[in-house]
Amino acid sequence: MRQELGVGPSEEAVRLRNSLLGARQGRPSPSPLVGRRSQAATLEKTLAEAARGRGRTVFLSGSPGMGKSRFLEWARALAAAGGWRGGHGAASRIEGAWPYAPVLEALADLCRRHPTLLDGLDDRCRKDIDQALAGRALDRSGGGGHQRLFVAVAELVRLAAAGPGLLLTVDDVHEADEASLRLLHYLSRCCLNERFVMVLAHRRQPVSDTFEQVRTSLLSRAGTLEVALSALERAETEELARAIRPGLAPDEVERIWELSGGTPFTAVELARAGATSQADGRGAGAAVLAVLAPPVRAVLEHVATAGAAFDTDTFLALAGVEEQEAFDCLDAALAALIVERTMDGYRFRHPLIRDALLGDIPPHRARALHRACAERLVSVNASPARIGHHLLAAGDVEAAVPYVLRAAETQAAVGAYRDALALVESVRPVTARAGRAAEQARVLALRADLLAAVGDPLAITAYREAIRATGGDVHRGLRAKLARIAVYYGDLDTATAALHGLETDGGPADAAILLARGTIAYFTGDLDGAWEAASAAGLSETAVWEQPDLTALKSLITHNRGEWSQMLRSELLRTREDPALATMVFDSHLCVAEYLLYGPSPYPEVIELARGLRVTARRAGALRAVAFAGALIGEAALLCGDLDLAERELGEAADLHREIGATTGEAHCLQRLAEVHLARGDRPAADRLLRRALPLARWSLLAHHLLQRLYGTMILAAPDPDAARAVVDTAEAAFGQSDFCHFCTVMFEVPAVIACAAAGDLAEARRHLEIAERSAALWDGTAWQAAMLEARAHLARAEGEPAEAARLFTRASDLFAQSSHPLDAARCRTAALSGVGGGETPLSGR
C-alpha cells in the first residue's frame, strides 16, 4: 500500500492483521532438528548471550542440500518462541536484484511482521528505507548523502532489538552483491551491544573475493562465530527419512542412504518420493520436478529464470500463457511442493529445485529465455537492473545499455558504487562504437564519479577520459570535479591544469569551478586569490551542497587573516532575518571554530569572544548565532577542563539547536556533551548521546565534518579494545568519498590509530597514522600536534618499544599542557610514568 498508493494501512487494519497472524502462528515451539544437536546448542547459547546485550553474527556454512535453509527456519521458530522479532531474506545472483536486496528483503519481512516498528523510526531514516524498499529508479545528487541508508538500517535494527531481541537471517549470502555484503558487515560491527543476532547462511564454494574478505574480517573480531553443517550419519539419515515418511520399507531406507550420502535435502525429497525408480542419480531436485507435466515445467522455467521469488502479477507476466492456464500451472507447482507461499507472494521451495529447473536448459535456449524474460519484465515496469541483467545474459549488450546505465545510476544513488561500476564496465566497450557518442559520454562521466566515490586514484585518469568525450556544461562540471579530486589527493598541479583556461559563463558549473579555484588558491597560500574566487562563487547559482564548503573556505581565509570574529558578526547581521540561511552559514563555520579551539588562542579569550557574540546575537534575535556561541563556550570549557561549565553550555546549546531545527549544531553539541561524560567516566551516558547524534550528523550537509569527529568519539567511548576496533571498521564502512575534510580527518584517524594499536592490528594502525599525519600538517601550532605524539606513543608501545612510548607520552603531555589541555596532559603523564596507556579518555584524540 505504501509503495503503490502512498499510504499505509489504518491502525484498525494493522490490529486485525496482527490478531489473525497471532491466531494462525502463535508462538509454536520449533520442530526438532535431526543430527544437529551441537549446532543447535551453539545457536541457543548465542541467543542467550545476545539477550544480555551482546550482539552476535553467525556464519552458517555447508554444501548444497546440507539443511542450511531448514536450520534458519528452525532458528526463526526458536527466536519467535522466546518473543524475539525476526526477519528473513535471501540473496540470488541470478536475479539482477536491487542493491542491498537480501538485507532489504529481511527488513521488509521484519516490518511486515511488526508494522508498528516504522512508527518509532525517525522520519529521515524511514524515508531512506522506504526509498530503497520501493525499488524505483533514482537520480544521483551532488551532495553525496549516499551512506544515509546504512545509518537508517542500523537505527531500525536497534529499534527492533529493543525488548527480547531481534534475529535477522539471510540465506545464500555467498551470492549477495557487494553493497549488501558491506551493509551486513556494517550491521554486524555497529550492533555489538544490542540484543541482536544475525545468521548468514552460505555455501562453502564458490564464493566471491568480497564475501571472503567480509567473512574473514568479521571472524577475526569478537562477536562472530562459524557454525558448519556436514552430512548426516547413517542412523540420522534413517531417522530423518522415517520422520518424513513413517512407512518406509527397510530396502527403501537403504536406497535413500545410498543415494543421499547423508545429504538432508536429498534424503527428504527421496523419502517424499518413496525412493521410487524416478529417484536416481540425477539428484533430488530433478526427482521433485519429475512429477510435472511438460507445459507446467516450461512455464516454471520462465519464472525461475527471473528469480527465486515472485508475486502474482510477475508470475502472470512471465508465464507467457493465458491467465487461467498460468494459474493452473501455479496450482500444480504448489501441489508438487516446488513452489510455496510467502507473506508477500511465492517462492521456489528450495534453491536446489530452482537449480535443477535451470540446469537442464541448454545455453542457446537459456539465452532465449533471458530475452523473453527481459521483454516480459518491461511489461510489469520491473527495475532497470533486472531488465538489464537479462538482456546482458541474453547476449544483447546493445539493447541492455539504457537499462544498465539507469540501473548503475540508481545503485550509485544508494551507495552501491562497486556494483554500479561493474555494470558500467559491462557496457563501456559497446558505447565506444560509432553512433553512440551521447551514451559513451554518460558512461565515462559516471565511471569517473564512481571511481572517485570508492577512492580509486584511477579517478583522475577517468575524469580526463570523460572530459575528452563531453562538451558543454557536463564538460565544465567534470573539469571542476577533476580539480576537486586532485586536491583531495594533494596533486595541486593537476588541479590547476584542470581549471586552466576555464572561465565562468553563467552556467550551472560556475559555483563548482570557482570553489575549486578558491580551494587551490588557499592551499597554495594565495589568500587574496582564494577570497576573490570564493566571493565570486557566492554571487553564482551555488548548489545547496556546495554552499557549506564555500562558507567554510571563506571562514578559513578570514581566520588566516585574523578577521574571523569580524566575519562572524557580519554574518550575524546578514542572516538574522533568514533563519534557514543563518543555520547553513553558522554550520559552515564548524571547521574554523575547531581550528580556533585547538590553536594558540587562550581559552578565556575564546570564551570572551563567544560571549560577546552571544550578547549581540540575542539583541538581534538571531537564535542560530546564539546557539553557535553557546556551543563555542562549551567546547572551550571542555578542553580547558571546566566540565561543569561545559555541560551547562553544551546542554543549553543542544536544546536551542533542536528547537530551531539546526540538526548540524545539535549533533555537534551532543558529541561534545558525550566527551564531557567520557571525561567523568560515564561511558553509557556518552554512548546514548552519540547514538542520538549519529543520524543527525549523517543527514547533515556538513556530514563530512561531523562524522569524522563523531566516530572518533565513538571509538573512545567503546568499552574495550575489540569494541573500539569494531567502531573503526563500522566508521570506514559508513564513510562515503564525500565524507572527507582535510582538517577534520585527524579527528577520526588519531583515535583509529590508538584503537588499532590496542587491538594488535599494527598494519592498520600505521595506515591510519599516515592519513592522520597529512591532516595534522594543516593544524601546525595546535594541540593536534600533541595528539599525534600520543598516537605515535600508543603505536610504539604496541610495537614493543616501551622506552620510546614513554618518551612520546612525555612530549605529548608537555605539549598538551602548553596548549592548556589539562585533562589530556594528565592522561599522557600517567601513561608515561606507568608504561601503559592512561585509563582516562584521550579527549584530543578526535
Side-chain angles (χ1 to χ4, degrees):
M1 289 180 68
R2 186 174 292 112
Q3 178 178 334
E4 297 184 7
L5 304 180
V7 297
S10 67
E11 291 183 7
E12 184 180 3
V14 170
R15 284 196 300 271
L16 175 60
R17 176 187 177 283
N18 289 344
S19 67
L20 292 172
L21 284 175
R24 186 185 74 180
Q25 297 175 346
R27 286 189 183 176
S29 298
S31 55
L33 292 169
V34 174
R36 303 299 186 204
R37 185 175 293 106
S38 65
Q39 294 92 339
T42 298
L43 189 65
E44 289 171 346
K45 180 182 177 182
T46 300
L47 290 174
E49 290 178 348
R52 295 191 292 270
R54 299 181 62 190
R56 290 288 183 265
T57 298
V58 178
F59 280 96
L60 181 69
S61 64
S63 303
M66 280 301 157
K68 299 183 295 296
S69 299
R70 169 72 181 99
F71 192 92
L72 292 182
E73 180 185 343
W74 173 85
R76 293 195 297 276
L78 177 68
W84 282 44
R85 295 184 173 112
H88 176 71
S92 181
R93 185 182 299 121
I94 199 170
E95 296 182 34
W98 207 251
Y100 311 106
V103 189
L104 294 175
E105 182 185 353
L107 295 178
D109 185 40
L110 169 68
C111 293
R112 279 192 296 270
R113 296 175 186 276
H114 308 281
T116 56
L117 262 181
L118 288 174
D119 295 336
L121 197 63
D122 183 277
D123 287 343
R124 286 166 299 210
C125 294
R126 183 169 178 166
K127 179 182 177 182
D128 278 87
I129 291 175
D130 282 346
Q131 177 178 267
L133 285 172
R136 292 187 292 269
L138 302 172
D139 295 315
R140 291 179 300 138
S141 67
H146 38 267
Q147 299 299 332
R148 297 183 308 207
L149 180 64
F150 277 41
V151 174
V153 168
E155 288 303 304
L156 177 59
V157 166
R158 288 194 184 96
L159 185 64
L166 168 66
L167 173 70
L168 286 186
T169 57
V170 183
D171 208 351
D172 293 325
V173 177
H174 58 281
E175 293 197 349
D177 56 292
E178 192 264 353
S180 295
L181 291 171
R182 284 195 299 111
L183 180 51
L184 290 170
H185 186 279
Y186 179 81
L187 284 178
S188 177
R189 307 317 293 152
C190 70
C191 294
L192 284 174
N193 298 317
E194 307 295 332
R195 295 185 180 94
F196 173 57
V197 173
M198 186 163 59
V199 184
L200 309 176
H202 65 94
R203 295 181 182 180
R204 289 175 178 153
Q205 294 293 337
V207 296
S208 66
D209 290 342
T210 303
F211 170 81
E212 192 56 41
Q213 289 167 6
V214 168
R215 177 178 167 277
T216 301
S217 172
L218 291 179
L219 287 173
S220 67
R221 308 274 186 258
T224 303
L225 62 153
E226 187 167 24
V227 173
L229 300 181
S230 55
L232 300 177
E233 300 291 337
R234 184 188 187 105
E236 294 168 340
T237 303
E238 179 177 350
E239 180 185 352
L240 180 61
R242 292 193 182 281
I244 298 298
R245 198 180 187 98
L248 283 172
D251 61 330
E252 290 180 307
V253 172
E254 182 64 24
R255 180 170 172 77
I256 288 172
W257 164 248
E258 291 175 356
L259 289 176
S260 70
T263 301
F265 175 79
T266 306
V268 167
E269 299 307 323
L270 292 175
R272 281 183 174 143
T276 62
S277 59
Q278 291 178 333
D280 54 26
R282 294 175 299 163
V288 176
L289 297 172
V291 301
L292 292 177
V296 176
R297 179 163 183 152
V299 165
L300 291 180
E301 285 174 350
H302 281 87
V303 178
T305 300
F310 49 89
D311 58 22
T312 305
D313 291 342
T314 304
F315 184 88
L316 291 175
L318 293 171
V321 297
E322 293 296 324
E323 181 176 306
Q324 188 56 53
E325 184 179 350
F327 281 131
D328 288 344
C329 292
L330 180 57
D331 287 339
L334 287 166
L337 298 180
I338 291 168
V339 168
E340 64 183 4
R341 297 180 189 274
T342 65
M343 291 186 70
D344 59 340
Y346 305 88
R347 68 181 173 206
F348 285 94
R349 182 169 58 83
H350 196 282
L352 288 178
I353 296 176
R354 183 167 169 242
D355 290 347
L357 256 178
L358 299 174
D360 288 342
I361 302 173
H364 69 279
R365 189 158 170 269
R367 289 165 70 97
L369 281 173
H370 280 293
R371 182 180 297 280
C373 184
E375 293 170 354
R376 293 170 187 178
L377 286 173
V378 169
S379 70
V380 294
N381 295 317
S383 74
R386 296 188 71 188
I387 297 168
H389 166 82
H390 290 292
L391 287 172
L392 289 175
D396 194 349
V397 182
E398 295 201 12
V401 169
Y403 296 104
V404 168
L405 264 176
R406 195 71 187 99
E409 288 169 344
T410 297
Q411 290 180 335
V414 294
Y417 299 128
R418 296 194 183 278
D419 295 308
L421 193 57
L423 284 180
V424 167
E425 295 293 2
S426 71
V427 298
R428 185 159 67 106
V430 172
T431 60
R433 297 174 186 169
R436 309 199 75 144
E439 288 176 329
Q440 183 189 32
R442 191 173 158 200
V443 163
L444 293 178
L446 178 56
R447 177 174 177 265
D449 286 345
L450 291 168
L451 287 169
V454 298
D456 193 325
L458 287 176
I460 290 179
T461 302
Y463 274 121
R464 286 174 173 150
E465 187 179 359
I467 286 167
R468 290 193 294 269
T470 55
D473 290 331
V474 174
H475 172 88
R476 293 163 56 76
L478 287 171
R479 288 177 66 179
K481 288 180 178 179
L482 173 57
R484 192 181 184 106
I485 198 70
V487 170
Y488 171 80
Y489 285 111
D491 188 351
L492 296 180
D493 290 339
T494 294
T496 302
L499 299 182
H500 180 70
L502 187 61
E503 300 298 331
T504 56
D505 64 355
D510 281 4
I513 293 169
L514 290 166
L515 181 57
R517 185 175 295 160
T519 303
I520 294 169
Y522 177 81
F523 282 109
T524 54
D526 182 6
L527 296 183
D528 291 339
W531 182 259
E532 182 181 349
S535 299
L539 299 175
S540 66
E541 292 292 329
T542 310
V544 171
W545 64 274
E546 289 170 332
Q547 286 210 27
D549 286 345
L550 176 59
T551 302
L553 175 60
K554 293 173 75 173
S555 63
L556 284 169
I557 297 167
T558 56
H559 181 271
N560 276 268
R561 289 174 167 175
E563 301 167 355
W564 183 60
S565 61
Q566 295 94 310
M567 182 183 179
L568 281 180
R569 288 182 168 82
S570 174
E571 300 282 33
L572 187 156
L573 296 173
R574 182 171 70 90
T575 62
R576 61 182 177 179
E577 303 299 332
D578 188 342
L581 179 60
T583 294
M584 179 174 290
V585 165
F586 280 93
D587 283 352
S588 302
H589 284 280
L590 193 62
C591 266
V592 177
E594 300 307 290
Y595 204 97
L596 180 72
L597 287 165
Y598 286 91
S601 302
Y603 289 120
E605 289 184 14
V606 175
I607 292 173
E608 187 61 30
L609 182 152
R611 282 175 172 161
L613 177 66
R614 182 162 63 182
V615 169
T616 305
R618 281 174 175 163
R619 288 172 181 165
L623 293 181
R624 180 60 185 89
V626 173
F628 176 85
L632 191 57
I633 295 169
E635 288 186 89
L638 166 66
L639 294 175
C640 70
D642 189 345
L643 299 183
D644 292 336
L645 176 60
E647 183 173 15
R648 184 168 64 253
E649 291 287 352
L650 288 169
E652 291 175 359
D655 291 342
L656 183 53
H657 277 112
R658 182 168 57 255
E659 289 168 8
I660 63 178
T663 54
T664 296
E666 183 185 356
H668 180 51
C669 290
L670 291 174
Q671 178 245 331
R672 288 300 203 181
L673 270 175
E675 292 174 356
V676 173
H677 286 290
L678 283 177
R680 288 175 169 158
D682 190 350
R683 292 180 184 275
D687 185 67
R688 287 193 295 271
L689 289 167
L690 293 168
R691 297 298 179 190
R692 281 176 56 194
L694 183 57
L696 301 175
R698 180 71 269 180
W699 272 264
S700 167
L701 286 172
L702 274 295
H704 54 304
H705 299 294
L706 289 174
L707 289 174
Q708 306 288 338
R709 61 196 68 195
L710 184 56
Y711 276 112
T713 308
M714 291 175 76
I715 292 171
L716 304 173
D720 55 61
D722 285 335
R725 181 64 184 84
V727 176
V728 177
D729 284 341
T730 299
E732 293 197 296
F735 289 154
Q737 187 275 333
S738 63
D739 297 327
F740 176 83
C741 166
H742 291 279
F743 292 90
C744 295
T745 299
V746 71
M747 302 182 186
F748 168 74
E749 298 298 341
V750 166
V753 173
I754 296 171
C756 291
D761 195 344
L762 300 187
E764 280 297 286
R766 295 185 190 105
R767 180 177 71 85
H768 286 291
L769 183 62
E770 243 180 72
I771 301 171
E773 285 172 340
R774 291 198 294 270
S775 180
L778 302 173
W779 294 84
D780 189 34
T782 71
W784 282 107
Q785 307 308 312
M788 289 300 301
L789 289 171
E790 183 181 8
R792 294 188 188 103
H794 279 276
L795 181 56
R797 189 186 64 195
E799 291 173 332
E801 299 180 15
E804 175 65 7
R807 186 184 70 82
L808 290 169
F809 275 127
T810 300
R811 287 183 57 199
S813 176
D814 293 342
L815 198 49
F816 274 133
Q818 292 172 23
S819 301
S820 300
H821 285 222
L823 300 179
D824 297 328
R827 180 187 61 255
C828 290
R829 187 165 54 251
T830 300
L833 294 173
S834 65
V836 296
E840 299 173 8
T841 299
L843 285 180
S844 287
R846 292 178 294 282

